[in-house]
Amino acid sequence: MNVENWRLKIRRKHNELNSEDLSPVSLTRYSEFSGVKRKRDTLEIDENMSDNSSDFSKRANFSAITSNGINRNLNILNLKPTTTKKIVIKNLKSEPKLPDDFREQTWGKLQEAVLAIQNSRANEYSLEELYKAVENMCIHNMAHTLYNNLHVLIDNHVRRNIEQFLAESMDRFLFLKKMNETWQAHCRQMIMIRNIFLCLDRTYVLHNAQIASIWDMGLELFRQYIMANTLVQTRIVEGLLMLIEKERQGDTVDRTLLKSLLRMLTDLQIYEKAFEEKFLVATERLYAAEGQRLMQELDVPDYLAHVDKRLIEENERVYHYLDANTKPRLIHTVEKQLLTDHVTNILQKGLDGLLEENRLNDLSLLYSLFGRVKNGHTELCTAFNLYIKKRGRTIVIDPEKDKTMVQELLDFKDAMDNIVATCFNKNEKFSNSLKEAFENFINQRTNKPAELIAKFVDSKLRAGNKEATEEELERLLDKIMVLFRFIHGKDVFEAFYKKDLAKRLLVGKSASVDAEKSMLSKLKQECGGGFTSKLEGMFKDMELSKDINVAFKQHLSNTSQELSAIDMTVNILTMGYWPNYPLMNVVLPEEMVKFQEIFSKFYLSKHSGRKLTWQPTLGHCVLRAKFKLGMKELVVSLFQSLVLLLFNSHDELSFDYIKGATNIEDGELRRTLQSLACGRARVLNKIPKGRDVEDNDKFRFNNDFVNKLFRIKINQIQMKETTEEQKATEERVFQDRQYQIDAAIVRIMKMRKTLSHNLLISELYLQLKFPVKPADLKKRIESLIDRDYMERDKDNPNHYNYVA
Amino acid sequence: MKVTIKNWVGVATWKWVANDDNCGICRMPFDGCCPDCKLPGDDCPLVWGQCSHCFHMHCIVKWLQSQQVNQQCPMCRQEWKFNNK
């Protein structure tokens, strides 16, 4: 209806405007520019009309809300604003008065209602009526009395309720149940009562700050009586503790009951005072005992799992029924009793085993649990460090295990890295400690680990080692570099590595030049260019030799000399780079000597001012040998070929003859003969047979030699490295070190001019990167004094002066 | 002939033909190089004077440049002349 009304108005307005031929927008314009009064009038009228219409609609709306049925009629009436009626309000003739017994009567009504609620009886008055009654009393200044009366009523009821618990001595569980029921009922009743007395809450209580609201009054009364009757209070708390303990022992208990009662304590604000303290004490006692007991009974992994379970349980407990504020203290208590007090014990008893067996899950758990404990990670880290040192020492220290040492170290490092990465959260403290521990134990045995690492690398880089692809080899080298980093005596490594590298390069045994180069660049990165300059020089020599050989071949074909068809290649070494080789003069066959001469002449013509020295120990040949069953190619060392060539003119030769004819050093010759006559491929027969070569032995060319291969490599029998060669290498390293010590002493003394013995020694230890004994240092100082680099102070023999 | 050599890989080391172990100027061994170089070899050669003394080339050149008046051998004080034998 009122919408229709609106439309009517608008249409009328439009008609008016259209008659002036103006759109609403241009209308305003028009009035602005020309200021015609008439237009303005229409506008005003318009506004009036719209005001009216909104008035109508308002009224219409209101009537629509109250009663839908009659709005049509009402609107019709309202549509006639012309007939105005005047309403005059006059004072009442007599003031209205309350009935005399209003107070008693109303209260009586309310009291009855409250009692009915408290006793769960049906209420005979409607709630609205009661509400009105309260409202009336509030209006007529009776709020104070009303509040007091209500207070007395609730007081009585609560007291009766609580007192019933005093008398009865029932089962604890029942007691709690009953208590809970009482509390729930109390809450329910108080809500009901508050709703009825809402008016009182909203007016009287709100205006008097010191008076508690009805709900709070109820709580306060409840609290008073519980507090007053300590027996009840303690019974509640004890009952709760009993339930919780039961649950801790694995029984299922009524969690809702617990939650409800604990909420009650919180609401009554006695949770902390009455319950929390005792609860924490009980918790502490329980877990202290449990911690002691289980540490004895269980293995560490089981114990840890148990602790973890306990912590989860306690967290759940907080989540389900305890007050959230208890959580930090509760968890702390559990941690303290189960973990903090047992940290050392756990580490001592279990850590080694866990690491040994690589139990990643348990270790992760251990790490996360120890994270809760103050200093837990530090302790764990220390124990971890100790374990690595102990375990590593067993790998390194035992000479029997030398063969597998490097592989074991690599595996051990891998395992430990894995543990740090997966279990210890990649904690930097742990990885640093890991490094420190490795560095510590690897250097417990001087020189040997460095030597073995060098040999391990050699074995991997040598040709014929097909077990790894390029990438695998690369990764392996990286891992070895990690071990290498820990080693203090890097010069020992260099010496052995150089020796092996020389062998690989000269015999052409190197598996791949790329791998060699990559190893070299790794070493360079690690120790700087000084460390690798000699090694690089070796590679350079090999490359230069290649060029020289090409040129030499050209030279041979140009000069076209009468020579037998020996394909000769020569590796030219720069003395300083390569290991020192013992000089040997052996007798070569004529044709070989000729070749050597030609080559020397050729070389010196290219490089003047040089001298060439031939190294027979390093040469090797491929021989073509004719046996009864066909031709074979023998890959042999130069010494082996010299011996074999002798048999061209004789069938049988004695040891002495061979020795005289070749001039090979005795021990070397014995090994050579052994390799030819007693090895796997026996091209010579020894008479009499036997493993070792004796002075009176005779040798005979084995015409019946059989082998399924065409090309046969006859290995040299290696000198026992453990004895001479190794000693020599170490000796060389020691020599090098002496120069370094000398240099360091002079450097320091030059700077300080005067220094006491002890200070000098300590400075030396800071500068020198390899392990030295103080006695060695003393020797070097003595030697420098002898050579007048420094002198003892005349007054104080413990002081040294630098001599410029 | 039962055995013939098919190919032969020989090894030889080279050394400078010098009348001393160390360079008289830098005191470094002739097997090594002068202090300014990193690698011995053709990049850091030796030279001989007519007085028969021998130095790293870099060393003696540096020495001769530092001499204002006479070009003398630092060992024997004779006039320095390169021996281009």
Side-chain angles (χ1 to χ4, degrees):
Chain A
M1 168 67 207
N2 50 33
V3 175
E4 252 168 54
N5 223 341
W6 257 107
R7 281 199 188 131
L8 203 75
K9 295 275 159 210
I10 290 165
R11 204 171 297 140
R12 230 192 302 164
K13 240 193 300 179
H14 259 271
N15 288 343
E16 244 170 324
L17 294 173
N18 285 346
S19 64
E20 302 291 335
D21 261 340
L22 285 167
S23 71
V25 180
S26 54
L27 174 80
T28 26
R29 277 248 180 102
Y30 196 84
S31 61
E32 263 172 33
F33 284 96
S34 56
V36 178
K37 226 175 176 191
R38 207 167 53 102
K39 296 287 169 301
R40 191 156 283 230
D41 287 346
T42 33
L43 203 76
E44 271 165 13
I45 291 163
D46 219 304
E47 275 167 9
N48 281 341
M49 285 175 97
S50 71
D51 266 355
N52 279 344
S53 68
S54 69
D55 239 333
F56 285 136
S57 70
K58 264 182 206 159
R59 248 172 264 156
N61 266 335
F62 187 69
S63 61
I65 289 169
T66 44
S67 47
N68 245 342
I70 53 162
N71 56 2
R72 192 176 296 254
N73 297 339
L74 259 175
N75 271 325
I76 292 167
L77 281 176
N78 288 339
L79 277 173
K80 299 172 185 168
T82 41
T83 55
T84 43
K85 265 185 187 173
K86 261 190 183 171
I87 296 171
V88 181
I89 299 170
K90 291 175 187 163
N91 283 336
L92 284 173
K93 276 171 190 128
S94 59
E95 255 183 65
K97 267 176 98 183
L98 287 173
D100 291 337
D101 57 349
F102 169 75
R103 178 189 302 212
E104 286 73 25
Q105 217 178 6
T106 323
W107 173 244
K109 232 198 274 180
L110 288 171
Q111 184 176 26
E112 209 168 303
V114 170
L115 285 175
I117 290 168
Q118 285 176 342
N119 295 319
S120 321
R121 269 191 281 113
N123 208 335
E124 60 182 293
Y125 303 100
S126 79
L127 291 175
E128 189 185 354
E129 202 178 344
L130 293 170
Y131 182 88
K132 276 266 163 62
V134 174
E135 194 177 11
N136 285 335
M137 282 187 87
C138 287
I139 290 169
H140 293 102
N141 290 329
M142 290 175 213
H144 184 66
T145 3
L146 182 61
Y147 186 85
N148 285 346
N149 285 340
L150 185 62
H151 186 268
V152 173
L153 222 54
I154 295 172
D155 188 306
N156 283 336
H157 179 68
V158 171
R159 192 181 60 232
R160 259 201 318 282
N161 264 340
I162 301 296
E163 274 168 358
Q164 75 180 1
F165 288 103
L166 276 179
E168 294 169 72
S169 58
M170 52 180 125
D171 173 65
R172 274 187 180 169
F173 185 63
L174 279 179
F175 174 88
L176 288 180
K177 265 218 147 121
K178 193 109 193 268
M179 191 71 222
N180 188 36
E181 274 164 22
T182 312
W183 166 249
Q184 297 290 356
H186 175 78
C187 290
R188 220 169 34 242
Q189 290 159 13
M190 285 313 292
I191 290 170
M192 198 67 187
I193 290 170
R194 187 184 57 179
N195 285 346
I196 290 172
F197 288 82
L198 192 63
C199 229
L200 191 64
D201 246 356
R202 293 258 168 97
T203 54
Y204 175 68
V205 174
L206 215 57
H207 294 147
N208 296 281
Q210 68 273 33
I211 294 176
S213 73
I214 296 172
W215 173 256
D216 288 342
M217 173 179 77
L219 287 181
E220 178 60 26
L221 286 170
F222 208 92
R223 191 164 87 96
Q224 266 177 24
Y225 285 108
I226 291 230
M227 291 291 279
N229 299 303
T230 36
L231 185 67
V232 177
Q233 189 191 323
T234 41
R235 286 194 72 179
I236 293 173
V237 172
E238 274 169 17
L240 288 172
L241 292 178
M242 182 199 73
L243 276 185
I244 292 174
E245 188 166 343
K246 239 179 163 178
E247 193 189 38
R248 279 178 175 155
Q249 278 160 8
D251 293 354
T252 35
V253 296
D254 187 352
R255 282 187 161 175
T256 27
L257 175 64
L258 272 169
K259 178 172 183 166
S260 166
L261 284 171
L262 286 167
R263 282 290 295 278
M264 173 183 95
L265 294 181
T266 315
D267 285 345
L268 297 177
Q269 295 175 333
I270 53 173
Y271 174 83
E272 280 175 35
K273 230 190 293 169
F275 175 75
E276 198 180 31
E277 292 297 329
K278 285 186 185 165
F279 170 66
L280 289 175
V281 169
T283 310
E284 193 173 325
R285 210 168 36 225
L286 175 78
Y287 284 128
E290 184 172 288
Q292 295 291 350
R293 185 169 53 82
L294 293 183
M295 267 313 287
Q296 301 294 324
E297 286 176 8
L298 293 181
D299 286 344
V300 168
D302 295 340
Y303 182 77
L304 290 174
H306 180 79
V307 173
D308 192 45
K309 199 186 85 194
R310 279 300 195 201
L311 283 167
I312 292 171
E313 276 176 15
E314 292 302 330
N315 268 318
E316 243 174 42
R317 204 153 284 142
V318 172
Y319 178 73
H320 282 299
Y321 51 77
L322 290 173
D323 191 87
N325 292 330
T326 316
K327 183 172 173 178
R329 294 177 65 194
L330 170 66
I331 298 299
H332 179 79
T333 311
V334 179
E335 282 165 0
K336 181 171 182 319
Q337 296 306 330
L338 289 183
L339 282 174
T340 315
D341 291 359
H342 302 289
V343 162
T344 25
N345 228 336
I346 290 174
L347 290 177
Q348 267 175 15
K349 203 173 140 190
L351 182 65
D352 287 9
L354 292 181
L355 290 169
E356 197 81 44
E357 290 162 38
N358 203 18
R359 295 173 65 157
L360 299 179
N361 289 336
D362 292 329
L363 284 167
S364 303
L365 181 61
L366 181 72
Y367 178 81
S368 72
L369 285 179
F370 272 44
R372 296 164 166 274
V373 178
K374 197 179 160 223
N375 284 335
H377 278 168
T378 320
E379 300 249 355
L380 178 59
C381 189
T382 320
F384 180 58
N385 187 296
L386 277 179
Y387 166 78
I388 295 175
K389 283 183 187 165
K390 203 171 66 190
R391 174 86 178 78
R393 214 183 126 84
T394 58
I395 299 177
V396 168
I397 216 77
D398 186 2
E400 304 237 312
K401 281 198 195 165
D402 279 355
K403 265 188 198 156
T404 56
M405 183 207 283
V406 179
Q407 191 57 52
E408 263 185 69
L409 283 177
L410 287 174
D411 294 345
F412 185 48
K413 179 81 179 24
D414 270 354
M416 292 301 120
D417 278 344
N418 186 25
I419 285 173
V420 171
T422 53
C423 305
F424 296 160
N425 202 17
K426 296 187 183 126
N427 190 326
E428 217 160 275
K429 208 163 62 182
F430 282 79
S431 46
N432 286 341
S433 169
L434 172 76
K435 282 180 199 150
E436 189 269 325
F438 261 84
E439 188 168 339
N440 179 296
F441 79 72
I442 273 195
N443 290 300
Q444 296 230 340
R445 193 162 163 219
T446 42
N447 298 350
K448 200 71 193 177
E451 179 193 330
L452 289 176
I453 289 174
K455 289 201 173 138
F456 185 79
V457 177
D458 175 55
S459 75
K460 294 295 169 194
L461 289 177
R462 214 181 283 163
N465 177 32
K466 294 271 157 35
E467 64 195 61
T469 63
E470 296 250 321
E471 293 95 55
E472 281 169 353
L473 187 63
E474 188 68 22
R475 230 172 301 134
L476 186 72
L477 290 182
D478 277 332
K479 284 182 188 170
I480 289 173
M481 286 313 292
V482 175
L483 287 185
F484 171 70
R485 215 163 282 156
F486 297 131
I487 281 180
H488 286 156
K490 294 202 169 44
D491 43 1
V492 180
F493 174 88
E494 195 232 355
F496 281 100
Y497 185 76
K498 192 163 94 174
K499 196 168 60 87
D500 292 331
L501 175 64
K503 226 178 259 174
R504 287 200 299 277
L505 290 178
L506 294 178
V507 188
K509 266 183 176 175
S510 179
S512 102
V513 181
D514 289 345
E516 294 281 2
K517 286 264 164 75
S518 117
M519 184 68 196
L520 196 63
S521 73
K522 284 187 214 308
L523 286 173
K524 192 168 181 177
Q525 219 170 25
E526 196 60 40
C527 305
F531 188 80
T532 51
S533 67
K534 288 186 176 176
L535 302 177
E536 277 168 39
M538 290 163 76
F539 280 100
K540 208 176 158 204
D541 273 353
M542 295 310 286
E543 273 159 33
L544 287 176
S545 303
K546 230 182 258 167
D547 296 344
I548 291 170
N549 280 311
V550 172
F552 179 60
K553 294 240 160 77
Q554 200 116 41
H555 171 77
L556 276 186
S557 61
N558 286 346
T559 48
S560 67
Q561 295 176 41
E562 293 273 321
L563 280 168
S564 49
I566 298 179
D567 180 13
M568 186 195 194
T569 350
V570 184
N571 290 318
I572 307 289
L573 314 182
T574 306
M575 271 295 272
Y577 298 148
W578 298 75
N580 287 320
Y581 297 106
L583 260 184
M584 273 184 202
N585 284 315
V586 294
V587 180
L588 293 181
E590 212 175 303
E591 45 176 359
M592 292 177 92
V593 175
K594 210 166 171 190
F595 260 102
Q596 278 191 354
E597 274 170 8
I598 296 170
F599 185 85
S600 292
K601 218 160 134 197
F602 167 76
Y603 181 79
L604 294 177
S605 72
K606 298 243 165 193
H607 303 273
S608 59
R610 296 191 185 184
K611 200 168 76 189
L612 268 189
T613 314
W614 292 91
Q615 300 281 353
T617 28
L618 300 171
H620 57 98
C621 301
V622 176
L623 301 181
R624 230 186 247 121
K626 216 186 283 168
F627 297 103
K628 225 186 256 168
L629 288 166
M631 288 284 279
K632 296 277 179 198
E633 278 191 8
L634 305 176
V635 182
V636 288
S637 75
L638 181 64
F639 291 157
Q640 286 170 329
S641 8
L642 292 184
V643 172
L644 287 177
L645 285 171
L646 290 179
F647 287 90
N648 278 339
S649 45
H650 306 284
D651 276 339
E652 189 179 296
L653 292 170
S654 71
F655 177 76
D656 284 333
Y657 178 86
I658 297 175
K659 193 174 169 185
T662 59
N663 199 21
I664 299 174
E665 187 262 336
D666 186 90
E668 193 70 47
L669 180 61
R670 276 173 211 270
R671 277 196 298 278
T672 307
L673 285 168
Q674 204 175 9
S675 70
L676 293 170
C678 313
R680 204 170 296 152
R682 303 185 175 181
V683 284
L684 294 183
N685 284 330
K686 189 169 90 81
I687 305 160
K689 287 188 193 301
R691 276 222 62 82
D692 293 312
V693 177
E694 305 294 339
D695 289 350
N696 299 323
D697 286 350
K698 291 202 162 86
F699 297 88
R700 179 177 267 284
F701 190 75
N702 181 10
N703 242 326
D704 307 319
F705 179 75
V706 185
N707 199 307
K708 58 181 176 207
L709 297 173
F710 175 67
R711 202 181 171 96
I712 302 145
K713 182 162 171 38
I714 302 177
N715 284 322
Q716 275 274 62
I717 291 177
Q718 292 294 320
M719 235 192 301
K720 281 269 178 283
E721 274 217 329
T722 37
T723 54
E724 288 166 54
E725 209 175 343
Q726 192 176 358
K727 278 248 176 65
T729 312
E730 274 172 26
E731 187 60 35
R732 223 166 30 246
V733 169
F734 188 68
Q735 285 279 333
D736 276 353
R737 282 182 182 179
Q738 288 194 334
Y739 294 130
Q740 288 195 42
I741 297 171
D742 284 0
I745 295 174
V746 172
R747 223 170 20 238
I748 294 167
M749 288 310 295
K750 194 169 182 177
M751 196 163 63
R752 304 284 163 137
K753 303 298 178 216
T754 352
L755 208 60
S756 77
H757 177 79
N758 288 340
L759 280 175
L760 177 58
I761 297 287
S762 64
E763 280 221 31
L764 278 173
Y765 273 112
L766 282 180
Q767 286 209 3
L768 298 172
K769 289 187 186 103
F770 45 83
V772 247
K773 289 191 215 92
D776 292 336
L777 292 181
K778 247 182 188 162
K779 262 187 226 156
R780 296 321 301 162
I781 294 173
E782 291 296 336
S783 142
L784 284 171
I785 290 174
D786 286 347
R787 285 183 280 160
D788 285 337
Y789 280 93
M790 52 202 273
E791 62 182 10
R792 280 185 204 282
D793 197 284
K794 285 179 190 83
D795 305 323
N796 189 349
N798 260 335
H799 272 72
Y800 302 116
N801 294 329
Y802 179 67
V803 180
Chain B
M1 290 289 263
K2 294 163 192 152
V3 185
T4 49
I5 301 176
K6 187 184 170 205
N7 74 40
W8 172 28
V9 180
V11 176
T13 53
W14 67 265
K15 251 178 150 175
W16 295 107
V17 186
N19 48 10
D20 202 351
D21 285 345
N22 299 328
C23 167
I25 297 175
C26 67
R27 307 303 296 161
M28 298 296 268
F30 284 131
D31 283 347
C33 52
C34 81
D36 295 334
C37 290
K38 287 225 163 72
L39 302 170
D42 289 337
D43 293 339
C44 186
L46 303 194
V47 287
W48 288 261
Q50 282 180 356
C51 58
S52 86
H53 287 119
C54 159
F55 305 99
H56 286 123
M57 184 188 81
H58 297 145
C59 294
I60 187 69
V61 166
K62 219 194 265 176
W63 162 260
L64 293 175
Q65 277 169 359
S66 70
Q67 296 295 299
Q68 252 88 55
V69 205
N70 297 326
Q71 308 262 295
Q72 289 174 336
C73 167
M75 302 294 268
C76 59
R77 296 280 159 192
Q78 290 181 40
E79 195 188 345
W80 179 264
K81 276 188 183 136
F82 284 102
N83 181 10
N84 304 314
K85 48 176 170 176

